[in-house]
Amino acid sequence: MVKLCSLLERVDYALINGNTDIEIENISYDSRTAQRGDVLVCIKGIDSDGHEYIQEGLKKGIKALIVEKDIDYPKDITVLKVENSRIALAEMSAAYFGHPAEKLKTIGVTGTKGKTTTTYMIKELLEKAGYKVGLIGTIEISIGSLEIEAENTTPESYVVQKYFRKMVDAGCNMVVMEVSSQGLMLNRVSGFIFDYGIFTNIEPDHIGPNEHKDFDDYLRCKSLLFKQCKTGILNGDDPYVERILEGVNCDAVTFGIYKDVDVSAKNIALFNEKGIMGVEYDLTGKRKMHIIVDVPGEFSVYNSLGAICLALEFCIKEEDIISVMREMKIRGRVELVPVSDDFTVMVDYAHNAMALKNLLLSLKKYKPKRLVCVFGCGGNRDRNRRFEMGKVAADLADFTIVTSDNPRKENPEKIIDDILIGINRSETQNPNYVVIPSRNEAIIYAINNGILGDVIIIAGKGHENYQIIGNKKIHFDDREIILKLKHKEK
C-alpha cells in the first residue's frame, strides 16, 4: 500500500472531499479492473467516458477518485479534481512505480514511417556496445529475456511506467520506445522527460473521427515529443522539420541525404546479392564510415541514419555500428523470407497507400523481372484507404493479387470490391491483377507462380501473427505459409 498524498507531489489538483493522507492499494483507470482500496482515475476515452462508470468503481470498494468533472459522490470517498486526468494518471503512475524513467536513459522515436525499424536498430546498436536495453513498440515489449506481445504502439501511461519499473528491476539502463501521435495526444508518455527524441518523417496519416481531426493536429502531436526531450535527432530532409521544431528548446541534431545536416549519407547505391536486397552509402559529417544495410529502399538509409546519430551520442565504436547495420533484420519490415533461389519473397507491414507506395517505389528501383504485390485491407476502417491502396498497387506493381487482411466485422468480399474500385482508377491501362479472397491461397498462388527475377511483396500484416475475423483473433502468419511451401519443395 502507498499513501495517496505521495502520488500527488507533481499533480495540480483541488481537494473536493475527504483527505489525501490515506493508503491506497493501486491506481486504476478502468472501472472494470478496479479493485478494493484503489484510487480510480476517470479518463475520457475515444468511445467512452470513465466518469460514467464511477458507480461501478464504488461498488468494488475504491477509496478515492480523480475526476475532471463535477460529480455526485459518497461522503466517505476522497475526491480530487484535476484539469487533465490523463496527465494526472501519468504523474501518479510515475510516482507509484518510483519514477523509474529517472533511472534509465529514455529514447523515444516518432514519425509516420520507420519507428519500428529505427527502434530495433537502436536496440541492437546499444546492446552491441554492452548496454542492457528495454523496448516498447508495435511488435512487442522486450525486457531482458522477457517478450510480451504489444497491444498498442504506445501503451497507457500506467503501463509504460510499470514496464519501466520492470526494466529497472531487470538491470536495464536504457529503454527505446515507439511514440505514436495518439500516445502523445493522450498523454501516455507524460510524467517524465525523454533523454532523446527521434523524428523519422511525417506524412498525412491517422486522420479521421477517432484519431486526428486534420494534418495540422497530427503534426502538432508529433512535435510534442520534442518539447519533452533533452536532445532531438531529426530528419532534416523532411519538409515539416522546421514546424516540428517550432517552440522547442531541446538540443537538435539533424540527419539526411539532400539538405545541409549534421550527419549525411552520400554515394548511395543499391545492391542485390543472391536475393538479399539492400543499400550502402558513405556516412559523412560527425563521423565518416561506409555503411551497408541489408534492408532495401531509401527509407532504410533514413532509418539507419537516425539510429546511427543516436549511436554517435553514446560514442559507439565504428566497427560495432558497421556490423550491426550489415546484420540488421526486422520482423515484418521488408523482411526477406527465403523460399527460392529464383525469386525474392518479402513480408512487410505496409497497410496504407502511403506506406505501400513508398515500398513499391523503393523495390522498383532494383529493377525486378516482375514486382508482384499481395495485399488486402482491414475491415471497419476508412473506405478511402481501400481505394487508394488499390490504385497504388495497380499503378506500381506489375501483378497484383488482391486478398483479405483483417476483415473484422465486414464482409471480406465487400472490402475487396472497394479495392477493385481503386484498381480501376489506375493510370495503368488494363492493370494486371487477380482476386483470391483467402489470404492463405493468395500467398500460395503468388509463390507457386513466381518466375526468375521476381520480387514478391506480401503486404499489410508484417509482424502480425493473426487474422481478426468478426470478434475473433485467429492465428495466421504470412511467414509460416511461405516457409511451409519451402519445406514442401524440399
Side-chain angles (χ1 to χ4, degrees):
M1 298 182 79
V2 62
K3 284 287 184 75
L4 178 59
C5 56
S6 70
L7 305 182
L8 299 168
E9 293 174 353
R10 303 182 188 181
V11 179
D12 292 325
Y13 66 89
L15 180 62
I16 304 301
N17 190 60
N19 71 85
T20 62
D21 190 29
I22 58 173
E23 290 190 331
I24 58 113
E25 289 287 348
N26 202 349
I27 302 169
S28 178
Y29 54 93
D30 188 331
S31 61
R32 292 170 296 183
T33 56
Q35 297 184 22
R36 180 171 297 278
D38 286 357
V39 52
L40 177 62
V41 183
C42 300
I43 58 177
K44 191 176 185 302
I46 293 170
D47 298 318
S48 63
D49 185 345
H51 294 80
E52 297 175 1
Y53 301 95
I54 287 173
Q55 289 302 318
E56 185 178 342
L58 292 172
K59 289 176 183 176
K60 292 182 176 180
I62 60 168
K63 294 178 72 173
L65 283 167
I66 309 293
V67 297
E68 291 180 358
K69 305 175 179 179
D70 294 330
I71 61 163
D72 294 326
Y73 52 84
K75 293 181 180 179
D76 59 344
I77 290 289
T78 294
V79 181
L80 307 174
K81 190 175 182 181
V82 296
E83 184 175 338
N84 186 320
S85 56
R86 286 188 175 277
I87 294 176
L89 174 63
E91 296 284 9
M92 293 171 66
S93 298
Y96 182 79
F97 290 105
H99 297 286
E102 296 175 4
K103 302 173 180 67
L104 297 161
K105 285 289 184 184
T106 49
I107 303 155
V109 182
T110 198
T112 305
K113 306 186 300 291
K115 294 189 296 296
T116 299
T117 299
T118 303
T119 54
Y120 275 94
M121 285 179 169
I122 290 169
K123 183 175 187 288
E124 292 290 330
L125 286 164
L126 292 171
E127 288 180 338
K128 185 78 171 180
Y131 296 104
K132 190 167 183 179
V133 187
L135 179 141
I136 300 174
T138 303
I139 297 175
E140 64 184 353
I141 293 89
S142 173
I143 306 169
S145 60
L146 178 65
E147 294 182 355
I148 305 164
E149 185 178 341
E151 294 184 9
N152 301 99
T153 298
T154 308
E156 190 54 79
S157 58
Y158 177 90
V159 179
V160 169
Q161 294 294 334
K162 180 177 73 172
Y163 287 143
F164 283 179
R165 180 74 259 168
K166 288 180 180 291
M167 290 173 188
V168 171
D169 292 345
C172 293
N173 41 30
M174 302 271 183
V175 57
V176 57
M177 66 181 294
E178 295 182 50
V179 183
S180 67
S181 57
Q182 286 281 89
L184 288 158
M185 180 175 70
L186 300 176
N187 302 109
R188 291 175 179 170
V189 289
S190 295
F192 69 99
I193 300 296
F194 283 96
D195 291 289
Y196 295 91
I198 299 175
F199 167 66
T200 60
N201 51 66
I202 189 166
E203 295 182 31
D205 196 17
H206 299 291
I207 296 167
N210 293 330
E211 296 183 277
H212 299 283
K213 62 182 181 179
D214 52 32
F215 179 73
D216 283 342
D217 183 58
Y218 179 51
L219 189 147
R220 180 190 65 80
C221 289
K222 288 289 188 192
S223 71
L224 292 174
L225 176 60
F226 302 94
K227 296 178 180 178
Q228 192 186 328
C229 73
K230 298 174 185 176
T231 300
I233 297 171
L234 303 103
N235 178 354
D237 286 347
D238 191 276
Y240 296 98
V241 69
E242 290 184 2
R243 286 184 61 185
I244 291 287
L245 286 172
E246 281 179 8
V248 167
N249 294 318
C250 68
D251 295 331
V253 177
T254 55
F255 61 87
I257 299 172
Y258 306 108
K259 300 285 182 66
D260 182 16
V261 290
D262 298 309
V263 178
S264 184
K266 302 296 183 186
N267 305 318
I268 299 169
L270 310 179
F271 68 85
N272 189 346
E273 301 171 356
K274 297 178 182 178
I276 298 175
M277 302 165 67
V279 293
E280 57 184 314
Y281 60 87
D282 293 322
L283 187 80
T284 65
K286 288 189 170 184
R287 293 272 287 278
K288 290 181 171 59
M289 62 187 88
H290 188 68
I291 300 294
I292 300 174
V293 188
D294 281 357
V295 183
E298 187 177 85
F299 53 82
S300 294
V301 177
Y302 282 108
N303 293 338
S304 61
L305 283 173
I308 290 170
C309 282
L310 190 282
L312 296 180
E313 293 287 318
F314 287 89
C315 301
I316 293 175
K317 295 177 183 177
E318 180 177 324
E319 58 265 31
D320 289 343
I321 293 173
I322 291 170
S323 68
V324 167
M325 289 297 112
R326 183 72 217 240
E327 298 164 7
M328 202 68 231
K329 298 287 184 293
I330 313 294
R331 182 155 59 100
R333 299 312 192 268
V334 204
E335 179 188 356
L336 175 69
V337 186
V339 69
S340 171
D341 293 333
D342 291 339
F343 50 84
T344 302
V345 180
M346 294 178 170
V347 172
D348 191 78
Y349 190 51
H351 58 285
N352 59 42
M354 175 190 57
L356 189 64
K357 180 179 179 180
N358 288 329
L359 175 63
L360 296 178
L361 284 173
S362 294
L363 295 177
K364 283 179 78 72
K365 291 179 180 178
Y366 289 84
K367 299 180 179 178
K369 180 73 173 179
R370 292 189 311 169
L371 181 55
V372 179
C373 179
V374 182
F375 84 100
C377 290
N380 302 112
R381 296 293 185 268
D382 185 3
R383 287 182 68 201
N384 287 320
R385 176 176 289 191
R386 304 165 192 175
F387 308 147
E388 293 163 358
M389 288 187 74
K391 184 177 185 305
V392 164
D395 285 344
L396 298 176
D398 298 300
F399 182 52
T400 300
I401 302 171
V402 182
T403 187
S404 185
D405 195 317
N406 294 320
R408 298 182 176 88
K409 296 180 180 179
E410 284 196 70
N411 183 330
E413 293 185 2
K414 288 186 177 179
I415 297 172
I416 289 172
D417 287 343
D418 285 341
I419 294 171
L420 296 181
I421 291 172
I423 285 178
N424 290 321
R425 292 174 181 173
S426 170
E427 297 168 12
T428 304
Q429 288 188 347
N430 301 317
N432 192 11
Y433 71 93
V434 65
V435 174
I436 304 176
S438 164
R439 192 174 182 91
N440 181 76
E441 292 178 11
I443 293 169
I444 292 170
Y445 178 89
I447 293 170
N448 284 344
N449 289 276
I451 61 176
L452 184 66
D454 274 359
V455 170
I456 301 170
I457 184 73
I458 300 168
K461 297 186 65 60
H463 63 279
E464 292 179 354
N465 61 0
Y466 57 84
Q467 280 265 56
I468 302 175
I469 301 173
N471 291 321
K472 293 182 179 179
K473 186 182 277 192
I474 299 165
H475 181 79
F476 188 97
D477 192 323
D478 290 347
R479 286 173 299 263
E480 290 179 6
I481 307 302
I482 299 165
L483 292 171
K484 281 179 184 177
L485 291 172
K486 180 180 181 181
H487 181 70
K488 283 181 181 179
E489 285 185 358
K490 290 182 178 179

